[in-house]
Every structure is written in C-alpha cells, then in structure tokens.
Amino acid sequence: MAWLSIIAPRGAVPTATSKCLCGRDRSAMGKARVLALITDHEAHRDTCPLRTPQEGRAAA
C-alpha cells in the first residue's frame, strides 16, 4: 500500500518520495530531510487509514 523510493547517487543530493494508496504523496531533498521522511514513512504505516481499523466500522 505504501512505497518509499530513495535515490542517493554518490556525490549527489539524495532524494526520497513516500507514496501511499490513501493519497499520501510526500518528497524530500537533502540528507536530513530524506532521513526525516524515512522516519515519517515508517510512522505512517501505523496510522494509515487503509491499514488501521476505523472507529465504528463493523466487524466482518
């Protein structure tokens, strides 16, 4: 459901993109921002509305 794409060529500025089927689409450039996006992407897995049961949703 969620994809994290990281491009870090030797000697160039790293970039990353975090996308999810829920509509999330974020990107970052530079080492510090890419590392922050990686952390944010990992946290999104626990909070994504497509992966987290919604309140009031009937059990199958």
Side-chain angles (χ1 to χ4, degrees), residues 4 6 13-18 26-41:
L4 179 64
I6 302 168
V13 176
T15 61
T17 303
S18 173
R26 298 184 181 172
S27 60
M29 292 180 67
K31 183 178 179 180
R33 290 183 178 174
V34 167
L35 291 173
L37 183 61
I38 292 168
T39 301
D40 186 55
H41 177 84

